[in-house]
Amino acid sequence: MDGRELVRSIKLFGSVRGLRTVRSAWRHRRTDARELAPRGPERARVPGPVTGAEPLPGGGTVRFARAELHVCVMVGGAVFWGWDGAEPLPSYALADEPPEPDPRAGLEPDTDGGWRVVSERVTVAVSRNGGIEVRTPGGVVLRRELPPRWWEPVAGGTARWVQRTEVSADARFFGLGGRGSGPRLRDGTYRLWNTDPGSAFGPDDDPLYVTMPVQLVVADAGTHLAFHDNSWDGRVILHEGEEGAGSGHDRPGTSELRMDGGPLRCWVVTGTPARVLHSWTALSGAPVPPPSWALGPQHARWGFGSAREVRRVVAGYRERGLPLSALHLDIDHYDAHQVFTVDREHFPDLPGLAEKLRADGVRLVSIVDPAVKAEHGNGVYESGRAVGPAGAFVRDGRGHEVRGVVWPGECVYPDFTDPAVRDWWGGLYAERLAQGFAGVWHDMNEPVSFAPFGDTTLPRSARHQLEGRGGDHREAHNVYGLTMARAGYEGLRRLRPDERPFLFSRSGWAGMQRYGGTWSGDVSTGWPGLRASLSLVLGLGLCGVPYSGPDVGGFDGSPGPELYLRWFQLGAYLPLFRTHAAIDAGRREPWEFGPEVLEHARAALDERERLRPYFVTLAQLARLTGAPYVRPVWWGAPEDRALRNCEDEFLLGDALLVAPVLERGTDRRTVRLPRGRWYDTVTEKSYEGPGQVLLDAPRSRIPVLARAGSVIPVRGEDGRPELEVWAPAAGRSGGGLVVRDPGDGPGEAEAEVERYTSRLVNGEVRVARVTDGGTVEPEWAVRVRGR
């Protein structure tokens, strides 16, 4: 660190906090230097030639000269393999016990000295040198794993490893968590280490807050998802393939995964995109739907500062007839930034404020950070020290509390990988509920320790319980936000068993959808930040996290009216629709940008409210099927290469195609249509896909098209739900699924999925509900459009 960095640190955090930050960072470095031995000389290892095999249910164990591989095809078609004794459990990603082995699949000899497992949906072939191929039932290779390589310290310690993979030349990569440069991941290196970038980010910044070793690959031959169940630091190096021209050879696409340690184990699921996400969430957990109110518009700001300002903002929405479902309070409502406290001077009666807002249809949502001020007399700190024999907080190898600097000052960090700590932390949410909050958002949980240089996280040598197995921060870091979300979710469920918790988290890992959603974090204010917002939501949905959204307007800086409006219009069609900004970044209320923006924002808000029953349906279908609300346009036609390369539009469910404006000064834009007839939802003009059309995109709206034949639940002009039906083309039929609002209860009982069909009979559109006993007339009013 040079003098300029020190000055920057002191300016940023204040002189006292700046010096504490520097000391904390140096202390973390010294701790790692003392407790993490240098790797020293290493010995490389590859599996070597095959020496034998042992059949087991669903597959078997293949032995090589220097390694051992266990392969199993599960009921449902998911494939698992693990090297050197790695099994599916223990795992933070899996929701429950893994599926049973497929009794019809078994290990059998293959050609050239290899082995294979054949099942109804997939074939897994193991070469004599340790390569693995995943094939379709017809024998087409979807994924080829080359023999892995390990580097093991001669003096002992964890091995690092590399796994190289080949896919077809036409394949496209997606996933890896929240990436600003997506959703299609082009050639480059993507780090697997949840990271607070320290400032607002754009498309070129990587890594970000949610990284996952979950990779979705789409190719002509089929779609598959690969998940390497390993939470250590790593890097994925991607290279898209290239098809040879004429008689030239194809160059396959490649993915190289390099991990600093941990097990080499992998899950692969194959099929259509819908089947893949269904299988993946069957493994990693069903997405918990948010309460119905959390599907409405929400408003946040770091810096409301007082109850009076909160009331003023809510009154501004109401006076202008703008819908608002929730208002979020950031760290400025705490007493000196300390979690589970209230600044009584500026918020003298927070429960009373929450009660009055709820009566007006607005819920309060509270930020919750994991860092606890390390100060005697702080109730949270004192109660945490009394948890178990060693206390609740992360410690170093000598048993001392690991400390860092966050907003309250010098802080300690709960070890959420300890069940007792999760139980203790979850109980603390009783204070938030008593203050009247209806939900929480977790922030700073990568976790963050401010630093003027280098890694802004805990020492890698810091010790964690890891469910009793014991380990260090190298393994625990990426699951820290996930386990904090679990603690909060389970605590809220215990405290209010009759209400479905509302929780979303800045950081997380595979399986985080079991506890809630996420958001973009501090996306930069600018047109690149707007584009990154869409990339993040699409990419996270393909990793199994369907509920997410950006800070509408960007986190830093002051957006101009056009940028704010286009961001607002995009946000109205994303699952989490929330405006938010930094304390010094200006306001995000729609009326602050002039009368024209206000009226166009009003239209976007009204349309969001009109579509609320559709969002409720999508939330429940995500729980049942794993399908994200927001889907890439290739979702129903992954074989369409033009759609695979389309990144600036998306499907909202199966029925709507949304084409946001992502560039300054745009009043018309091209829209790529999947196969079928599509109606402009404003003009009701029809267009035939596949192909491109040029549509108007005036300031008042962005292009939204409805699939012909779709049956969509909406809120009618009288406020009651109705069915909006878009006329099917002649000779074709359509339909849709509807899940009625189950309310905000726990939702264990599955809400009924209603299926509707639409068809054209003698020029008249007829809609029917399909039941076990046949078809019946819909109970809801039906409004036909597009005729």
Side-chain angles (χ1 to χ4, degrees):
M1 181 185 64
D2 61 22
R4 286 173 298 181
E5 289 175 319
L6 176 60
V7 169
R8 210 164 32 238
S9 172
I10 293 174
K11 283 184 177 180
L12 180 60
F13 302 116
S15 58
V16 174
R17 184 178 293 167
L19 292 173
R20 286 177 177 170
T21 299
V22 174
R23 286 200 303 269
S24 173
W26 278 117
R27 189 164 57 240
H28 289 182
R29 287 193 171 189
R30 288 198 307 270
T31 299
D32 280 347
R34 180 181 68 244
E35 298 183 12
L36 292 180
R39 295 189 63 86
E42 295 178 318
R43 182 185 297 111
R45 174 169 63 95
V46 295
V50 67
T51 60
E54 177 187 357
L56 295 169
T61 299
V62 183
R63 296 184 178 87
F64 300 87
R66 293 176 291 278
E68 184 175 282
L69 173 68
H70 176 62
V71 180
C72 187
V73 177
M74 307 293 183
V75 171
V79 178
F80 172 82
W81 67 75
W83 285 93
D84 295 338
E87 295 289 340
L89 298 177
S91 170
Y92 280 107
L94 300 193
D96 207 340
E97 294 290 325
E100 292 294 322
D102 185 347
R104 297 171 297 176
L107 191 66
E108 59 186 47
D110 200 3
T111 59
D112 199 25
W115 295 83
R116 67 180 181 180
V117 181
V118 180
S119 70
E120 181 181 4
R121 294 184 181 176
V122 67
T123 295
V124 184
V126 180
S127 76
R128 62 180 180 176
N129 294 315
I132 303 172
E133 287 186 352
V134 179
R135 303 171 183 164
T136 68
V140 178
V141 176
L142 295 176
R143 186 177 186 89
R144 178 181 291 113
E145 309 278 358
L146 304 181
R149 181 180 293 268
W150 295 266
W151 286 270
E152 300 165 328
V154 173
T158 185
R160 57 189 180 93
W161 52 264
V162 61
Q163 176 71 75
R164 295 184 177 91
T165 305
E166 293 181 350
V167 296
S168 61
D170 65 281
R172 296 290 180 261
F173 298 103
F174 301 87
L176 297 183
R179 306 284 170 171
S181 59
R184 172 185 163 194
L185 302 177
R186 290 170 169 77
D187 295 2
T189 299
Y190 301 87
R191 192 178 176 194
L192 298 171
W193 189 253
N194 292 349
T195 301
D196 173 13
S199 60
F201 69 87
D204 296 331
D205 292 301
D206 189 271
L208 299 175
Y209 313 95
V210 181
T211 68
M212 298 183 195
V214 179
Q215 188 179 99
L216 191 79
V217 183
V218 184
D220 288 353
T223 300
H224 74 271
L225 179 148
F227 167 58
H228 284 85
D229 194 350
N230 183 319
S231 61
W232 285 61
D233 193 359
R235 286 171 173 78
V236 180
I237 304 168
L238 298 180
H239 292 285
E240 291 184 344
E242 184 176 349
E243 293 179 296
S247 60
H249 294 290
D250 287 352
R251 178 173 60 79
T254 62
S255 171
E256 181 176 289
L257 175 60
R258 291 181 169 269
M259 300 299 295
D260 287 353
L264 203 175
R265 55 183 177 175
C266 183
W267 289 90
V268 173
V269 291
T270 66
T272 64
R275 182 183 290 275
V276 165
L277 264 294
H278 189 205
S279 298
W280 169 235
T281 51
L283 285 170
S284 61
V288 58
S292 300
W293 58 262
L295 294 169
Q298 304 178 49
H299 186 79
R301 190 203 308 160
W302 177 15
F304 281 119
S306 69
R308 179 179 179 180
E309 176 66 6
V310 168
R311 287 191 293 267
R312 187 194 70 81
V313 170
V314 173
Y317 275 87
R318 292 295 176 254
E319 290 166 2
R320 294 167 176 84
L322 304 176
L324 180 66
S325 291
L327 188 136
H328 299 219
L329 297 187
D330 211 314
I331 56 174
D332 53 287
H333 86 279
Y334 282 132
D335 181 10
H337 297 157
Q338 295 185 61
V339 68
F340 302 120
T341 66
V342 175
D343 178 352
R344 300 293 181 186
E345 179 182 353
H346 295 97
F347 294 87
D349 182 16
L350 193 51
L353 173 64
E355 184 179 359
K356 290 179 181 178
L357 293 180
R358 186 183 284 249
D360 202 23
V362 179
R363 269 78 168 182
L364 278 184
V365 176
S366 171
I367 191 172
V368 174
D369 290 353
V372 175
K373 187 168 185 177
E375 181 178 69
H376 292 291
N378 175 4
V380 176
Y381 177 59
E382 299 289 3
S383 67
R385 296 184 70 190
V387 174
F393 305 112
V394 176
R395 294 178 178 269
D396 62 21
R398 297 181 177 182
H400 302 143
E401 292 173 348
V402 171
R403 299 193 175 190
V405 177
V406 200
W407 300 118
E410 190 169 59
C411 293
V412 290
Y413 300 82
D415 181 8
F416 297 114
T417 69
D418 184 340
V421 174
R422 290 198 295 268
D423 185 68
W424 160 73
W425 185 264
L428 297 176
Y429 288 73
E431 182 274 341
R432 294 288 87 186
L433 296 179
Q435 298 296 340
F437 289 106
V440 296
W441 53 294
H442 289 171
D443 204 349
M444 307 294 285
N445 58 336
E446 288 69 36
V448 173
S449 174
F450 293 144
F453 54 88
D455 205 345
T456 59
T457 187
L458 304 186
R460 296 184 175 225
S461 59
R463 304 299 300 172
H464 292 261
Q465 285 291 322
L466 291 167
E467 315 308 315
R469 293 180 290 110
D472 61 38
H473 197 67
R474 292 174 296 180
E475 181 179 355
H477 174 83
N478 279 338
V479 299
Y480 191 88
L482 172 73
T483 51
M484 181 187 179
R486 178 179 178 181
Y489 179 81
E490 291 178 347
L492 291 169
R493 287 294 304 272
R494 290 194 306 270
L495 293 165
R496 285 204 178 153
D498 295 332
E499 290 188 15
R500 190 158 66 250
F502 177 53
L503 183 151
F504 62 102
S505 173
R506 191 171 79 172
S507 184
W509 202 61
M512 66 183 296
Q513 71 276 359
R514 301 192 295 265
Y515 314 115
T518 184
W519 92 104
S520 66
D522 301 345
V523 63
S524 64
T525 297
W527 293 93
L530 171 58
R531 184 175 290 271
S533 297
L534 177 57
S535 299
L536 284 158
V537 175
L538 281 166
L540 286 162
L542 295 175
C543 291
V545 185
Y547 184 80
S548 67
D551 285 344
V552 167
F555 182 71
D556 66 328
S558 298
E562 181 187 7
L563 175 60
Y564 174 82
L565 178 60
R566 294 309 195 186
W567 216 318
F568 200 88
Q569 290 167 335
L570 168 63
Y573 292 95
L574 299 180
L576 173 58
F577 180 21
R578 181 181 88 143
T579 54
H580 183 47
I583 194 168
D584 57 350
R587 298 185 180 276
R588 295 292 186 268
E589 295 84 21
W591 56 87
E592 297 288 344
F593 295 86
E596 180 187 13
V597 169
L598 173 60
E599 289 311 303
H600 299 334
R602 183 194 310 279
L605 285 167
D606 289 344
E607 181 65 6
R608 173 64 175 234
E609 288 298 277
R610 194 181 75 88
L611 290 174
R612 182 84 74 91
Y614 187 47
F615 275 93
V616 169
T617 291
L618 294 178
Q620 294 296 326
L621 292 178
R623 175 176 66 89
L624 296 171
T625 70
Y629 314 21
V630 170
R631 309 165 187 177
V633 289
W634 48 257
W635 179 260
E639 71 284 353
D640 188 326
R641 295 190 179 189
L643 294 180
R644 288 209 298 262
N645 295 330
C646 181
E647 302 179 276
D648 61 353
E649 57 190 72
F650 59 91
L651 296 174
L652 182 61
D654 283 332
L656 298 178
L657 188 155
V658 182
V661 172
L662 304 176
E663 297 180 357
R664 186 196 311 270
T666 300
D667 59 8
R668 303 190 81 194
R669 61 152 294 172
T670 57
V671 178
R672 183 166 292 280
L673 301 178
R675 184 176 302 278
R677 176 172 295 178
W678 296 85
Y679 293 96
D680 186 311
T681 57
V682 173
T683 66
E684 300 194 14
K685 182 179 178 181
S686 65
Y687 303 89
E688 293 292 333
Q692 279 189 321
V693 294
L694 182 64
L695 298 180
D696 290 334
R699 288 283 188 97
S700 60
R701 63 183 178 90
I702 57 177
V704 179
L705 298 101
R707 191 190 301 269
S710 294
V711 178
I712 307 172
V714 299
R715 185 176 290 174
E717 293 182 1
D718 60 359
R720 292 184 294 183
E722 66 180 26
L723 298 177
E724 181 173 273
V725 183
W726 290 89
R732 302 179 192 172
S733 60
L737 302 177
V738 175
V739 182
R740 304 191 187 206
D741 191 342
D744 294 336
E748 267 77 15
E750 292 187 1
E752 181 182 3
V753 179
E754 302 175 7
R755 179 172 172 242
Y756 293 86
T757 61
S758 66
R759 57 196 180 99
L760 203 60
V761 179
N762 298 325
E764 180 184 356
V765 177
R766 296 187 181 177
V767 180
R769 180 183 173 188
V770 180
T771 68
D772 292 340
T775 59
V776 298
E777 291 292 319
E779 296 177 16
W780 288 355
V782 174
R783 185 163 68 101
V784 178
R785 301 184 65 186
R787 287 185 295 186

